[in-house]
Amino acid sequence: MILVMTTIKVFEKIKLKDAILVEGLPGVGNIGRVAVGYLVEELKAKKFAELYSEWFFPFVMLQDNYQVKLLKNEFYYCKAKGKGQRDMVFLVGDCQSLTPQGHYDVVEKILDFAETIGVKEILTIGGLATGEAEAKNKVIGAVTDKKLMDRYKEYKIDFKAGEKVGYIVGAAGLLLGLWKERDKDGLCLLGQTAGFPIVTDPKAAEEVLDIVTKILKLKLDMKKLEKKVKEMEDFIKKVEALQKRALMDISKAPAGQNPPSGGEELRYIG
Amino acid sequence: MILVMTTIKVFEKIKLKDAILVEGLPGVGNIGRVAVGYLVEELKAKKFAELYSEWFFPFVMLQDNYQVKLLKNEFYYCKAKGKGQRDMVFLVGDCQSLTPQGHYDVVEKILDFAETIGVKEILTIGGLATGEAEAKNKVIGAVTDKKLMDRYKEYKIDFKAGEKVGYIVGAAGLLLGLWKERDKDGLCLLGQTAGFPIVTDPKAAEEVLDIVTKILKLKLDMKKLEKKVKEMEDFIKKVEALQKRALMDISKAPAGQNPPSGGEELRYIG
Amino acid sequence: MILVMTTIKVFEKIKLKDAILVEGLPGVGNIGRVAVGYLVEELKAKKFAELYSEWFFPFVMLQDNYQVKLLKNEFYYCKAKGKGQRDMVFLVGDCQSLTPQGHYDVVEKILDFAETIGVKEILTIGGLATGEAEAKNKVIGAVTDKKLMDRYKEYKIDFKAGEKVGYIVGAAGLLLGLWKERDKDGLCLLGQTAGFPIVTDPKAAEEVLDIVTKILKLKLDMKKLEKKVKEMEDFIKKVEALQKRALMDISKAPAGQNPPSGGEELRYIG
Amino acid sequence: MILVMTTIKVFEKIKLKDAILVEGLPGVGNIGRVAVGYLVEELKAKKFAELYSEWFFPFVMLQDNYQVKLLKNEFYYCKAKGKGQRDMVFLVGDCQSLTPQGHYDVVEKILDFAETIGVKEILTIGGLATGEAEAKNKVIGAVTDKKLMDRYKEYKIDFKAGEKVGYIVGAAGLLLGLWKERDKDGLCLLGQTAGFPIVTDPKAAEEVLDIVTKILKLKLDMKKLEKKVKEMEDFIKKVEALQKRALMDISKAPAGQNPPSGGEELRYIG
């Protein structure tokens, strides 16, 4: 018997050239999730693989009110079209791993898969909760190697992340840390968000998206972002509920018997 | 050395035709447990397999006051008899997994086993704690696919679960989510219960049972349900104690040294 | 690479005939630990194997003040000598598993080993914390099968354990539960102790020991028990500190940085 | 698929003779980390291997403010030069394992590796938080075997550790406990530190270092220690933040959504 903790289901076998993977999983301010979700929509990127894992919450989401759906991460791709563009892979999803150990396992599986499809560079997007009321729109960056800082120096990224933060937590950090161990290149962009971490911040997402589109040589109409965020509202609410739920420490209660949460969207069930 | 976290012991090798598996493990209001337990009794369904797991509580229950018994899930079957009936498998048990990761492992093992014995469809039963005093007797449903909604539309199920809940937790949800990944069909029915999750609600179980019997084309005398629930009282008390215990977070205390719980039925031992 | 979570080191290969294994690991009132420790000393039983596990605390104990020692469980044996006696194996140790899953793993390893050396029956000893001031000296029992109740009915054991407790936690329970799955026989004896679980209760241990010696057809001088408990005082203090520590939830703090505990014997280090 | 939880990357294949491994991972007062870090710097020891693990925090640190770096343990070596010296291996790093089980796994991997490169003896360094204001400069010791106590009796080590502490927690203890199971020798030195465990105590580190240099027959200028500790300040702050973070129980929050910590250096991100 083989232990398979994390499964990647591939719908379409693809082989990309010098591709860049852009990660936007739920996290602080859902900045990555919103930014990369917008890219996927605007570019009409195509879903080609899904990942699910024993390390995720033991839940199913309800889609369109009636349909059960495992918590998943999803891979989309979009081939280079315009001048200076590269093949692109987008990684979005419902959640990150529930346990520290799971983060390592899921991230290693993602990197194994990324290598097989031709990903050469990784760009992760996250948020930095400043805890201060006044917004700071400077995007903060960190890299796997000094040469990356030179490569991206033209984009007004503040490469003094270490002065403000000690660590980059979860997928946004580990994808780069473990990618670097494979002698590969990567960049992390962090939008600064004032509020509480689990409140989605489309403004901070726009700041990051502005730089990401320049890096990817994309011409996107940013004006639709706010509208798109509204359309994503139902999904965002569920992700926020999932994050709140996580803070309540699901691991303490058996499935199906979690104490009531008060909030409508969190009324448990099972 | 092979790691076997979850074991299924098969007493009788069976092969069913187009069978439906009906799950009723302990959960909110113990609705599934009571409803499916009643079906097993009334149909005189035959036990053919048992499952135990490292992911369960490290406890043994005391049966008939003197006999130790591992915590288990149990499989019963009942061949199609009446008109329009299908072969049926019933899954009941003492508990669900203690950890998030364990849920995935146990559910995958159940689905592997279900496939080998000819199960084609899964019906899971759970509860939705509304947190409101007034009872709501509408049964809520969710499905693996839209076509299932059409299949079961005649049964007065409210297929707008997503308006009331964000997720279906534990086995009731994961059995369907992971079953859907195998391109299989399934339905989840959730009884609405007003009270605190770990208080058994036979009224809500009856609401669900009313629909389940119609789906399965069974003719059952519902009047005996209340009497049966009384007969199951000892077992129900133990399951409720187990659930309370889980909420106290067993994982924090070493076995045999758990702090006293106050309640008689929870006086620890070991 | 093979995952070995639990290791049994065998010093002497033995093959016993129709042996009974008597378990006394730390637990409520340390009743089993004291009772079986006394048997080992009085019978001059011989240590022939040790078990250690990744599921134990990530600590070493300090023996004779200066010597590090992994937390272990230990196996001793004593061949049948007197009339009606059986070959005996004694299982004592410093601790039980730290996590629920670990309990199952450690217990399965013990049972695998027990089968290879000729153990046919298991007798586990634990404590029941009544939470009441007045001592109750009736020893409570539970069995794997009704026939065991008949076998041991002459020993004034109260076989109505289920009226007082819902579950038997940890090794005392799981050893029997998983042993029963192998179609083997076993008995659990629980001394009733009034006080807080992590206070050693030699009086309750004596009550249990009185029955155990009769079952094993041993003639032991009980008067030395109190003296022996005093001699074991240093060890007992360490086990109690270990148990208190467990209640503080070691899993929350990284090793070497646990918050101070106040008690002298618990001043952390590392 | 093989589960690799802990990875050791070897940069230079070395074979040492009768080497001693000196461990100084973060812990109480960071005494080991500071002392061994100073040895590595002063001896210009050469890094030859790195270890990272799924059992570590799911974080990356930020080096020089802009560069991501996995949390790691690092191996350095320095061949015997002076009279009476031995080949030396130094083990330092960013963190210890996050979970009890992880400690065993990481330590076993370290010991496997140590054996392959010729390590014969292990010297671990830790701290003992006395919880008292007045400093105690006596260094406390524990050994794998009595003969080690004789070997090191000339160095004014107080071998009555057991009178003051019950256990040695984490790597400092487990490295010796599991090394002893391989019939190998080892010594643990514990500096006494008055303050709260996660405040680095260079004074206590100096007390330990004084003995360690004598054991290793090294002539080091201790006066530079205070200066070096200042130079290490940035790293020390990060390790302290990591330790504080651990005490907040990272396992309760999903990555990227950890609640704000107040302290500047802990502002989360992800």
Side-chain angles (χ1 to χ4, degrees), chain C:
Chain C
M1 197 204 60
I2 288 167
L3 290 174
V4 181
M5 248 84 87
T6 300
T7 302
I8 296 180
K9 273 179 94 160
V10 180
F11 305 127
E12 184 188 353
K13 285 201 178 166
I14 62 168
K15 192 76 199 171
L16 304 174
K17 243 177 68 182
D18 187 35
I20 183 164
L21 182 149
V22 186
E23 174 268 344
L25 293 170
V28 177
N30 287 324
I31 293 168
R33 184 64 188 79
V34 164
V36 184
Y38 188 69
L39 287 175
V40 166
E41 292 250 342
E42 287 300 297
L43 296 172
K44 294 181 180 39
K46 196 175 168 203
K47 181 152 80 171
F48 70 103
E50 286 179 348
L51 175 155
Y52 56 91
S53 176
E54 290 197 6
W55 302 109
F56 290 171
F57 292 74
F59 289 0
V60 291
M61 298 181 88
L62 288 167
Q63 219 172 19
D64 304 328
N65 286 339
Y66 68 89
Q67 196 167 8
V68 300
K69 183 182 163 286
L70 273 186
L71 296 181
K72 287 180 184 172
N73 292 349
E74 298 171 322
F75 295 87
Y76 292 81
Y77 77 97
C78 183
K79 294 247 181 182
K81 289 167 197 163
K83 197 189 149 196
Q85 285 188 12
R86 304 167 65 173
D87 287 354
M88 293 165 277
V89 175
F90 301 103
L91 171 62
V92 291
D94 307 313
C95 65
Q96 294 197 28
S97 171
L98 193 54
T99 66
Q101 197 193 348
H103 274 293
Y104 280 91
D105 183 58
V106 171
V107 164
E108 288 278 24
K109 293 291 179 308
I110 291 170
L111 297 182
D112 287 348
F113 182 57
E115 287 206 60
T116 66
I117 57 174
V119 170
K120 298 296 177 205
E121 188 177 342
I122 289 179
L123 194 171
T124 66
I125 301 176
L128 164 63
T130 60
E132 292 161 33
E134 36 173 343
K136 285 175 183 174
N137 47 24
K138 190 92 184 184
V139 170
I140 290 172
V143 289
T144 49
D145 191 87
K146 196 170 186 316
K147 72 177 181 217
L148 273 284
M149 207 162 69
D150 300 334
R151 190 183 299 167
Y152 294 114
K153 70 183 168 204
E154 65 189 285
Y155 299 107
K156 293 189 189 163
I157 303 161
D158 175 2
F159 280 115
K160 291 184 185 142
E163 285 180 4
K164 305 204 174 167
V165 295
Y167 311 99
I168 304 176
V169 179
L174 274 188
L175 279 168
L176 294 193
L178 290 162
W179 192 237
K180 185 183 172 180
E181 291 300 314
R182 299 171 186 224
D183 295 315
K184 298 276 166 58
D185 299 340
L187 165 71
C188 175
L189 294 178
L190 299 156
Q192 298 195 54
T193 179
F196 190 66
I198 55 184
V199 174
T200 294
D201 183 346
K203 195 85 202 76
E206 194 181 332
E207 300 285 349
V208 174
L209 207 42
D210 184 57
I211 293 176
V212 173
T213 51
K214 282 172 186 155
I215 288 175
L216 299 175
K217 315 291 182 205
L218 300 171
K219 282 192 173 48
L220 288 192
D221 181 5
M222 285 310 205
K223 279 169 197 155
K224 286 197 286 181
L225 177 64
E226 214 164 313
K227 195 170 149 275
K228 281 283 171 195
V229 169
K230 277 218 177 74
E231 281 171 35
M232 290 168 72
E233 210 162 53
D234 180 54
F235 175 82
I236 285 172
K237 262 192 190 162
K238 284 188 177 162
V239 166
E240 287 179 355
L242 199 60
Q243 292 169 330
K244 268 182 215 148
R245 180 136 209 168
L247 290 174
M248 288 162 50
D249 195 4
I250 177 61
S251 72
K252 285 201 177 166
Q257 289 100 244
N258 305 70
S261 70
E264 196 72 358
E265 79 279 44
L266 263 178
R267 277 195 298 178
Y268 58 96
I269 188 175

Side-chain angles (χ1 to χ4, degrees), chain A residues 131-201:
Chain A
E132 292 161 32
E134 36 170 345
K136 285 175 182 174
N137 47 24
K138 191 90 183 185
V139 170
I140 290 172
V143 290
T144 48
D145 190 86
K146 196 173 186 315
K147 72 176 183 221
L148 273 284
M149 205 162 70
D150 299 334
R151 191 184 298 168
Y152 294 115
K153 71 182 167 203
E154 64 188 288
Y155 299 108
K156 293 190 188 161
I157 302 162
D158 175 2
F159 279 114
K160 291 183 184 143
E163 285 180 3
K164 304 203 174 169
V165 293
Y167 311 97
I168 304 175
V169 179
L174 273 190
L175 278 168
L176 295 193
L178 289 163
W179 192 237
K180 185 184 173 180
E181 290 301 315
R182 299 171 185 225
D183 295 315
K184 297 275 167 58
D185 299 339
L187 166 71
C188 175
L189 295 178
L190 298 157
Q192 298 195 55
T193 179
F196 191 65
I198 54 183
V199 174
T200 294
D201 183 346

Side-chain angles (χ1 to χ4, degrees), chain B residues 62-267:
Chain B
L62 288 167
Q63 220 170 19
D64 303 328
N65 286 337
Y66 68 89
Q67 196 167 8
V68 300
K69 182 182 164 287
L70 274 187
L71 296 181
K72 287 180 183 172
N73 292 350
E74 298 172 321
F75 295 86
Y76 292 82
Y77 76 98
C78 182
K79 294 247 182 184
K81 290 167 198 163
K83 199 189 148 196
Q85 285 188 14
R86 304 167 65 174
D87 286 354
M88 292 165 278
V89 175
F90 302 103
L91 172 62
V92 291
D94 307 314
C95 65
Q96 294 197 27
S97 170
L98 192 55
T99 67
Q101 198 193 346
H103 274 293
Y104 280 92
D105 183 57
V106 171
V107 164
E108 288 279 23
K109 292 293 179 309
I110 291 170
L111 297 181
D112 287 349
F113 181 57
E115 286 206 60
T116 66
I117 58 173
V119 169
K120 297 297 177 206
E121 189 176 341
I122 289 179
L123 195 171
T124 65
I125 301 176
L128 165 63
T130 59
E132 293 160 34
E134 37 172 343
K136 285 175 183 177
N137 47 25
K138 191 90 184 185
V139 170
I140 290 173
V143 289
T144 49
D145 191 87
K146 195 172 187 316
K147 72 176 182 220
L148 273 285
M149 207 162 69
D150 299 335
R151 191 183 298 167
Y152 294 115
K153 71 182 168 204
E154 64 189 287
Y155 299 107
K156 293 190 189 161
I157 302 162
D158 174 4
F159 279 114
K160 291 184 185 143
E163 284 180 6
K164 305 204 175 168
V165 294
Y167 311 98
I168 304 176
V169 180
L174 274 188
L175 278 168
L176 294 193
L178 289 162
W179 191 236
K180 185 183 172 181
E181 291 301 315
R182 300 172 185 223
D183 296 315
K184 298 275 168 57
D185 299 339
L187 166 71
C188 176
L189 294 178
L190 298 157
Q192 298 196 55
T193 179
F196 191 65
I198 54 184
V199 174
T200 295
D201 183 346
K203 195 86 202 76
E206 194 182 331
E207 300 284 349
V208 174
L209 207 43
D210 184 56
I211 294 176
V212 173
T213 51
K214 281 173 186 153
I215 288 175
L216 300 176
K217 315 292 182 204
L218 301 170
K219 281 192 174 52
L220 289 192
D221 181 5
M222 284 311 202
K223 279 168 196 153
K224 286 196 285 181
L225 178 63
E226 214 164 312
K227 195 171 148 272
K228 281 283 171 195
V229 169
K230 277 219 178 74
E231 282 172 34
M232 290 168 70
E233 211 162 52
D234 181 54
F235 175 82
I236 285 173
K237 261 191 192 162
K238 284 189 177 163
V239 166
E240 287 179 355
L242 198 60
Q243 292 170 331
K244 267 182 217 148
R245 179 134 210 169
L247 291 173
M248 288 162 51
D249 195 3
I250 177 61
S251 71
K252 286 201 176 165
Q257 290 99 244
N258 306 69
S261 70
E264 195 72 358
E265 78 279 46
L266 263 178
R267 278 194 299 179

Side-chain angles (χ1 to χ4, degrees), chain D residues 15-60:
Chain D
K15 192 76 199 172
L16 304 174
K17 243 177 68 183
D18 187 35
I20 183 165
L21 182 149
V22 187
E23 173 268 344
L25 293 170
V28 177
N30 287 323
I31 292 168
R33 184 64 189 77
V34 164
V36 184
Y38 188 68
L39 287 175
V40 165
E41 292 249 343
E42 287 301 295
L43 297 171
K44 295 180 178 38
K46 195 175 168 201
K47 182 152 79 171
F48 70 103
E50 285 179 349
L51 175 156
Y52 56 92
S53 175
E54 290 197 6
W55 302 111
F56 290 171
F57 292 75
F59 289 1
V60 291

